[in-house]
């Protein structure tokens, strides 16, 4: 399986939308009562946190973006 780049913003956004789905599924199942307006603050807070996570993940040192064994060295000790 090919490895892919990790995107924490997408993970946080997905988890926040999953939380909204669980809240309304619990309401539909009769486990608790959720007002109709609960979804908007949950989604907005989740998207805000996703943006923060993506921004923090995007800020990295210049050398961190290079793959192993790139043009800057052979990956051996002493380079």
């Amino acid at each position: 399986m090919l490895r892919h780049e990790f995107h924490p913003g997408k993970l946080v956004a997905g988890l926040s939308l999953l939380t909204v789905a669980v809240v309304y599924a619990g309401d539909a199942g009769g486990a608790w009562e959720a007002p109709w307006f609960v979804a908007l603050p949950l989604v907005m807070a989740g998207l805000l946190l996703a943006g923060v996570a993506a921004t923090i993940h995007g800020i990295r040192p210049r050398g961190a973006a290079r793959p192993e064994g790139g043009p800057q060295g052979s990956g051996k000790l002493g380079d």
Side-chain angles (χ1 to χ4, degrees):
M1 183 172 146
L2 297 175
R3 296 189 57 94
H4 56 84
E5 187 176 348
F6 177 62
H7 298 284
K10 291 181 181 182
L11 175 66
V12 173
L15 289 175
S16 68
L17 293 175
L18 186 63
T19 301
V20 173
V22 167
V23 167
Y24 280 108
D27 182 32
W32 56 75
E33 184 69 30
W36 63 269
F37 54 84
V38 169
L40 187 62
L42 284 176
V43 169
M44 296 306 288
L47 291 177
L48 176 70
L49 290 174
V52 169
T55 301
I56 290 173
H57 181 70
I59 300 172
R60 51 182 126 155
R62 287 182 174 253
R66 278 195 309 267
E68 285 276 331
Q72 291 294 322
S74 62
K76 297 178 187 173
L77 292 175
D79 279 343

